[in-house]
């Protein structure tokens, strides 16, 4: 059988994060966004759909197939490709032919629902194989290629135009450089994986600030195909305190010619993804004048109606100030960065020298705090609930800083004592104490905080 190599650029969304999968209503809203903005692929692979990963051999029950069929139909009605993913890597026995039968039964169930495109994911699994598999295949890459090639041919016989996407065990530059998956993993993949199969790649890192043409060309040479970008730029499942509503950025438009497509795996909380996905679509369709900040400002303007309240409307410039505080993993938006710098400089100085800077900070902080407080009035309750806990935290920090600045300004005494939260309440708890034991260093490593022994039995780092 000759296999045709896909040439259509894929653009769209991966539901592939850890945490609660999106609801039916959210997925249908996503399809509306995608068809409005021109994104063509929806990838179904939530890590916490047990039947995608932990118990991948088990078929879906009728209630589950009903929801999936609805989604497949919704995609077809809008010319959006629906890709179904299985992650068998946690416990698959590569040399057991019965495992291929399980995969075929699972994909067969999805084919019967109208799904035409499939994926096998081998991310986030142990890179050890059992001795029987090792004896038969020699390397993890060879074993995975065997399973993927077999499944790809099986799918193509039933769905001749199928896209078939494969996620390797080392799926970013850092993982490959560390030898994850065994020596020569990517080169083996390049040689042994059939040419019609697309291979996912997240860039130099799992969360890549930048993905350059050069980087992608090197990967393509090893994989012997253009990689398909699985973009975690806006994923937030690895840190419950954060979310990202900044623009799609750090990728030049020229990149599009070097890859098989871009699928974004965004924030776990669906309502927080409007600007990330809208700006991704703008990037995909942009010409040479691509400007992420401009795309962000335009997308924020379109997001503003979702912030309708039961009272006085919220202002766009306040939404932008707020969004700038939750911008991108490695970057604050301009006004968020300005606020941080303002307060950082203030605290580094003797309060006696603060002058008008203290008032300037207080004005900006009050504006942001008021915006945070007014989010409780949002008519869109799912949006409010998605924001609520992080916003509460921002508000508490702004409150704390404001009270600190007021106290120190009034007393003129830098040593005046400052009692605000009952010890052990706000920022307390075991996890917070653990976090204070190792502090981040500028190179991304962690170093022990200076320790003092608390006579009350707990050992705590200096604050
Ligand atoms: C990952 C996981 C992904 C997760 C993301 C961010 C891939 C291929 N896999 O490593 O499911 O959401 O990091 O935490 O990216």
């Amino acid at each position: 059988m000759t296999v045709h190599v896909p040439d259509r650029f894929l653009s769209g969304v991966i539901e592939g994060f850890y945490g609660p999968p999106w609801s039916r209503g959210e997925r249908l809203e996503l399809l509306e966004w995608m068809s409005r903005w021109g994104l063509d692929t929806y990838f179904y692979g939530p890590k916490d759909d047990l039947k995608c990963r932990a118990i991948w051999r088990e078929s879906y029950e009728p209630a589950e197939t009903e929801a999936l069929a609805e989604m497949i139909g919704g995609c077809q009605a809008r010319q959006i490709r629906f890709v179904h993913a299985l992650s068998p890597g946690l416990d698959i026995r590569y040399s057991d032919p019965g495992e291929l039968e399980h995969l075929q039964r699972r994909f067969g169930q999805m084919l019967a629902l109208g799904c035409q495109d499939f994926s096998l994911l081998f991310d986030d699994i142990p890179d050890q194989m059992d001795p029987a598999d090792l004896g038969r295949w020699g390397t993890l890459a060879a074993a995975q290629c065997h399973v993927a090639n077999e499944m790809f041919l099986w799918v193509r016989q039933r769905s001749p135009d199928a896209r078939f996407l494969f996620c390797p065990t080392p799926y970013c530059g850092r993982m490959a450089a560390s030898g994850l998956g065994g020596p020569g993993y990517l080169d083996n993949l390049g040689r042994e994986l059939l040419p019609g199969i697309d291979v996912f790649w997240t860039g130099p890192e799992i969360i890549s600030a930048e993905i350059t043409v050069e980087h992608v060309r090197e990967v393509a040479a090893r994989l012997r195909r253009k990689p398909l970008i699985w973009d975690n730029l806006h994923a937030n499942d690895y840190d419950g305190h954060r979310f990202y509503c900044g623009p799609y950025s750090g990728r030049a438009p020229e990149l599009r010619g070097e890859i098989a497509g871009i699928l974004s795996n965004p924030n776990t909380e669906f309502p927080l993804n409007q600007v990330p996905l809208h700006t991704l679509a703008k990037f995909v369709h942009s010409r040479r004048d691509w400007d992420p900040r401009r795309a962000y400002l335009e997308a924020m303007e379109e997001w503003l109606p979702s912030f309708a309240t039961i009272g006085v409307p919220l202002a766009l410039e306040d939404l932008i100030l707020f969004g700038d505080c939750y911008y991108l993993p490695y970057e604050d938006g301009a006004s968020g960065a300005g606020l941080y710098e303002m307060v950082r400089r203030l605290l580094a100085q003797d309060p006696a020298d603060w002058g008008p800077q203290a008032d300037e900070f207080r004005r900006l902080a009050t504006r942001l705090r008021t915006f945070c407080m007014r989010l409780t009035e949002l008519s869109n309750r799912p949006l409010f609930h998605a924001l609520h806990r992080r916003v509460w935290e921002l508000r508490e920090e702004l409150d704390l800083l404001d009270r600190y600045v007021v106290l120190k300004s009034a007393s003129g005494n830098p040593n005046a004592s400052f009692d605000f939260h009952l010890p052990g309440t706000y920022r307390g708890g075991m996890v917070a104490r653990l976090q204070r034991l190792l502090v981040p260093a500028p190179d991304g490593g962690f170093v022990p905080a200076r320790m003092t022994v608390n006579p009350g039995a707990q050992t705590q780092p200096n604050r």
Side-chain angles (χ1 to χ4, degrees):
M1 177 183 176
T2 48
V3 287
H4 83 258
V5 177
D7 54 4
R8 210 178 116 199
F9 187 89
L10 301 182
S11 64
V13 181
I14 297 177
E15 188 176 338
F17 42 77
Y18 294 88
W22 292 334
S23 70
R24 280 165 91 155
E26 289 173 336
R27 290 181 184 139
L28 292 175
E29 189 174 356
L30 172 70
L31 297 188
E32 281 301 303
W33 289 354
M34 290 175 64
S35 84
R36 194 171 336 134
W37 300 331
L39 294 172
D40 60 33
T41 303
Y42 166 74
F43 181 100
Y44 180 83
K47 287 280 190 292
D48 294 343
D49 172 339
L50 292 172
K51 290 177 180 171
C52 278
R53 191 170 156 92
I55 46 171
W56 60 272
R57 296 178 188 84
E58 285 186 29
S59 301
Y60 285 121
E61 297 297 326
E64 295 164 319
T65 52
E66 195 196 313
L68 287 164
E70 179 184 43
M71 199 53 194
I72 293 167
C75 284
Q76 283 166 351
R78 296 170 179 85
Q79 275 96 48
I80 292 172
R81 197 182 286 270
F82 178 100
V83 184
H84 187 261
L86 283 181
S87 298
L90 287 175
D91 62 356
I92 188 171
R93 296 173 303 273
Y94 295 95
S95 49
D96 176 352
E99 299 288 57
L100 279 177
E101 286 167 22
H102 284 301
L103 289 170
Q104 288 162 4
R105 189 174 31 76
R106 291 299 318 279
F107 280 0
Q109 189 181 30
M110 295 306 296
L111 277 166
L113 298 178
C115 173
Q116 293 173 344
D117 300 282
F118 292 89
S119 176
L120 283 180
L121 304 179
F122 292 99
D123 58 324
D124 296 2
I125 56 166
D127 73 338
Q128 253 82 59
M129 279 200 297
D130 79 38
D133 286 335
L134 202 59
R136 164 119 192 244
W137 304 111
T139 65
L140 184 65
Q144 291 176 350
C145 285
H146 166 75
V147 169
N149 289 343
E150 290 288 320
M151 288 308 297
F152 168 70
L153 294 173
W154 186 89
V155 163
R156 278 280 175 94
Q157 275 165 8
R158 289 154 182 84
S159 174
D161 296 324
R163 287 294 276 256
F164 195 95
L165 320 181
F166 175 94
C167 184
T169 298
Y171 48 85
C172 69
R174 185 183 291 267
M175 288 178 173
S178 76
L180 187 74
Y185 178 101
L186 291 184
D187 304 292
N188 284 351
L189 214 61
R191 268 195 313 273
E192 294 182 33
L193 203 62
L194 287 171
I197 301 179
D198 288 292
V199 178
F200 275 124
W201 190 253
T202 65
E205 305 288 345
I206 301 175
I207 318 290
S208 297
E210 235 193 314
I211 303 179
T212 63
V213 166
E214 265 174 329
H215 169 77
V216 151
R217 281 190 184 153
E218 274 171 36
V219 176
R222 297 181 71 184
L223 293 176
R224 303 191 189 184
R225 71 204 76 206
K226 293 177 177 177
L228 172 61
I229 300 299
W230 169 310
D231 211 319
N232 286 323
L233 185 66
H234 292 94
N236 70 338
D237 52 4
Y238 56 87
D239 188 340
H241 296 271
R242 304 178 74 183
F243 74 93
Y244 306 105
C245 65
Y248 190 73
S249 79
R251 290 91 175 110
E254 295 71 42
L255 187 71
R256 293 170 303 185
E258 309 285 335
I259 54 181
I262 306 173
L263 303 182
S264 162
N265 176 44
N267 294 291
T268 306
E269 297 78 10
F270 174 77
L272 306 182
N273 287 317
Q274 182 161 332
V275 174
L277 298 179
H278 197 172
T279 53
L280 166 68
K282 284 170 186 276
F283 170 80
V284 168
H285 299 292
S286 68
R287 296 179 193 279
R288 291 208 155 265
D289 64 342
W290 164 247
D291 174 353
R293 182 69 185 177
R294 197 177 62 221
Y296 166 77
L297 294 174
E298 288 166 6
M300 287 298 260
E301 206 169 333
E302 291 197 41
W303 199 23
L304 183 65
S306 305
F307 286 80
T309 72
I310 51 164
V312 182
L314 292 166
L316 178 61
E317 64 168 350
D318 293 341
L319 176 61
I320 291 168
L321 171 61
F322 174 72
D324 279 0
C325 300
Y326 295 97
Y327 204 64
L328 289 170
Y330 307 103
E331 187 187 341
D332 299 323
S335 54
L339 170 71
Y340 176 80
E341 211 24 51
M342 194 185 278
V343 66
R344 195 192 63 76
R345 267 193 266 117
L346 209 57
L347 298 191
Q349 283 171 30
D350 186 330
D353 300 331
W354 280 353
Q357 296 166 68
D359 289 336
E360 206 189 323
F361 161 70
R362 293 201 61 211
R363 267 195 304 278
L364 195 56
T366 304
R367 218 181 100 202
L368 185 54
R369 229 172 55 214
T370 307
F371 180 88
C372 291
M373 243 137 51
R374 294 217 41 228
L375 290 177
T376 56
E377 299 168 25
L378 292 189
S379 303
N380 183 340
R381 302 315 280 169
L383 176 60
F384 170 60
H385 293 144
L387 289 166
H388 168 69
R389 294 193 78 90
R390 286 123 179 156
V391 168
W392 187 288
E393 199 176 24
L394 174 60
R395 229 182 62 192
E396 286 291 354
E397 291 302 326
L398 291 169
D399 242 14
L400 192 65
L401 286 162
D402 188 61
R403 287 183 193 227
Y404 182 85
V405 168
V406 169
L407 180 89
K408 298 291 174 180
S409 307
S411 70
N413 169 11
N415 299 320
S417 74
F418 177 56
D419 263 348
F420 183 37
H421 286 288
L422 198 62
T425 56
Y426 187 66
R427 290 208 226 159
M430 174 75 175
V431 175
R433 290 207 312 280
L434 285 174
Q435 282 175 335
R436 289 195 281 270
L437 292 178
L438 282 177
V439 294
D443 66 356
F446 286 84
V447 291
R450 259 185 322 122
M451 305 294 289
T452 54
V453 177
N454 175 348
Q458 282 176 352
T459 302
Q460 291 187 329
N462 281 337
R463 296 194 181 185

